[in-house]
Amino acid sequence: MAENFDAEIEGIEFLEDLDRNDHQRYRYEERGENDYDTMDDRSFITRYRLSRAVVYKLLQVIGVALQFESGRNNPLSPMLQLLIALRYYATGSFRKQLKIMILSFK
């Protein structure tokens, strides 16, 4: 019986850690950091296969469709949504981009 209780406590602690990590994600977005602002041109093209000018024009065209009307649930900015999609198109995997984002929280 005590073993079950310990397992439940560990499960609760795990969920609390996940919750803390969610709040860190929101802090990342509030700082407004993204690869468009922080990477040099060569690294940006290597990662996304497009220049900053092309990404900016693309954002102007589709950015309105990516904008959320309210701030509920801390939505990602249109630029960040676009960068995640472009990274997926460039690599075929969104996990690499998410890993980069998660590691940047620490």
Side-chain angles (χ1 to χ4, degrees):
M1 186 174 233
E3 292 175 7
N4 289 339
F5 182 73
D6 291 338
E8 288 181 25
I9 294 295
E10 287 178 19
I12 291 171
E13 289 172 352
F14 175 75
L15 292 174
E16 288 174 347
D17 287 343
L18 286 178
D19 189 43
R20 272 189 232 109
N21 289 338
D22 278 347
H23 293 299
Q24 289 176 345
R25 176 183 54 155
Y26 301 142
R27 274 189 247 130
Y28 172 79
E29 178 61 24
E30 288 172 6
R31 288 194 311 244
E33 295 176 1
N34 60 48
D35 289 347
Y36 187 85
D37 296 329
T38 58
M39 293 181 82
D40 61 89
D41 291 336
R42 175 176 247 155
S43 298
F44 188 86
I45 292 171
T46 301
R47 178 168 287 175
Y48 296 102
R49 311 290 193 258
L50 297 171
S51 69
R52 288 176 197 249
V54 171
V55 170
Y56 184 75
K57 286 182 181 182
L58 186 58
L59 184 66
Q60 287 178 328
V61 172
I62 66 168
V64 175
L66 299 176
Q67 189 76 31
F68 288 92
E69 291 185 18
S70 71
R72 290 183 68 168
N73 298 322
N74 298 314
L76 297 176
S77 68
M79 176 61 82
L80 196 52
Q81 292 178 59
L82 178 59
L83 291 177
I84 291 170
L86 292 175
R87 179 72 171 155
Y88 172 74
Y89 300 144
T91 64
S93 173
F94 67 91
R95 291 183 181 189
K96 290 179 184 177
Q97 180 66 17
L98 292 177
K99 181 179 177 182
I100 291 167
M101 290 172 55
I102 289 169
L103 291 176
S104 68
F105 300 137
K106 297 179 179 181

